[in-house]
Amino acid sequence: MIFRIELRRSIAPWVGLALVVLALAYLFLLTGPWWKNPGAWFANTTTTALWIRYLLQFLWPVVVGAGAIQGMRDSRSGMVELLATTPRPAWQRAIRLAGALGALTALGYLAVFGVGVGEVLAHDGFVSAVFVPVLGIGVLAVVAGGWLGLAVGRLLPHPLTAPGLAVVAFAGTILCWISLEPGLDAVLPHRVGTLTPSLAEPRGSMVTTAAAVDAGQVAWFLGLAVTGFLLLSVQSVRARLLSLLPLAAGVALALPLFPAEVFAADDVAARKVCDGPVCVAEMHRDRLAALAGPGREALALLAKLPGAPTRVEEEVLPDSPTAPARRDPGVVYLDFQRNDVLLRADASDLRLAVLSGAGVPPCVPPSHADVSDMGARMIAAAYFTGELKLLPEFTRNWFSSKRDVFEQLWAKFRALPEDVQFTRVVALRRALLTCQGDPLETLVSR
């Protein structure tokens, strides 16, 4: 009964509602990377949880600021001295207020995830229980943020406390997030950045947080939550100083645990499903039957090359904005995450994808329309099939306007003696494996 009254007289329901509205507005009204490959938020329930954690860089400061507003309630109403004279312990009053705010913010966060699960099901995405640690730590983070705000608002009941605390939380969260994003100039060390409730952009649909990151963040946010509640409950200066011990313990436990990489492979979604030498991830099991035949045919054609690949596997590692795709002389990697054209490709296109670049991926990012890279990989595939075709990649429409140029280069290559053609394809494969030299110059001297 008292808890229900606390729910009605506090701003907890409005904080939970604000969290839901802001998150869904951000996700549905803005066109961002969460709607695109390789890490669309509807591709996998774990990816959904990761994107909602990403949004905490904007949502967490709102929760912290709202907690500070609520924490100043007794001071604004002039009841601090009156409540201090009541026989009821302070922690009993605090637990109802903290419980109300924590429960409603957690419920709002879970509601956003529920909408995400609906999107996953609507898009026939992958469902597994791997999201549980990611989601659970997100819930713990918003509860800890709300309790931290309550404590600061109770200790510093000033009109500028709430907006000031929200700004500080936002600035700190952004600085921490920058240290996690590859390619950005970080101000804070990577380990310190991992203390943030938000995560870097998930650059793949088969990734999750590393177990060491989960363990460290549980220790950190649990310590933050306990410190926030204790500061809300105790009265003396000595007790308040002792309340900081859980926070210090959380930091001391978390920092040594944090690894160099925040993300790791999702062992369930990325588990190999094989038909002989051809393997795909569990997430794309339905493509194995379509890929098995063309994959074997392509491997047989590539077998005449020295050090030829013997396996075809799906790439499961997250995308890197600064490094080229993974390459291995013994394995042909197909990336269904970044190149979703392969998810709809027929047998001819799948065989072409394996043969492109003589079985080696490009050295440029998939989004880069590089004529030299595309032309060289097209001609290499045509060397085995005898026919020049645009590769099954999402840039093929753009390259269709360059078809005349590619036809001329293909004719020039075919005019070479057979032994020279073979030598140049071997040289191209070597150049793509090391990402050194101009691929088209290696294949066809223009």
Side-chain angles (χ1 to χ4, degrees), residues 159-181:
L160 296 179
T161 296
L165 184 61
V167 169
V168 170
F170 178 70
T173 303
I174 292 295
L175 289 176
C176 288
W177 169 78
I178 289 174
S179 71
L180 301 181
E181 282 286 354

Side-chain angles (χ1 to χ4, degrees), residues 319-342:
D319 182 28
S320 170
T322 57
R326 178 169 56 158
R327 55 207 65 235
D328 185 326
V331 181
V332 179
Y333 287 109
L334 295 184
D335 197 336
F336 293 165
Q337 298 180 79
R338 295 158 194 79
N339 184 18
D340 63 342
V341 175
L342 294 178

Side-chain angles (χ1 to χ4, degrees), residues 191-192 194-195 212-221 247-259:
R191 287 180 184 270
V192 175
T194 314
L195 295 172
V213 172
D214 294 338
Q217 289 194 328
V218 166
W220 157 240
F221 287 117
L247 178 66
V251 173
L253 288 172
L255 290 179
L257 288 174
F258 290 149

Side-chain angles (χ1 to χ4, degrees), residues 283-329:
M283 184 174 179
H284 298 130
R285 173 189 283 269
D286 59 327
R287 296 302 294 164
L288 181 59
L291 179 61
R296 286 192 179 90
E297 294 172 12
L299 288 176
L301 292 172
L302 291 168
K304 64 181 179 180
L305 299 176
T310 57
R311 296 182 62 80
V312 176
E313 295 184 5
E314 179 179 355
E315 177 61 89
V316 298
L317 295 181
D319 182 28
S320 170
T322 57
R326 178 169 56 158
R327 55 207 65 235
D328 185 326

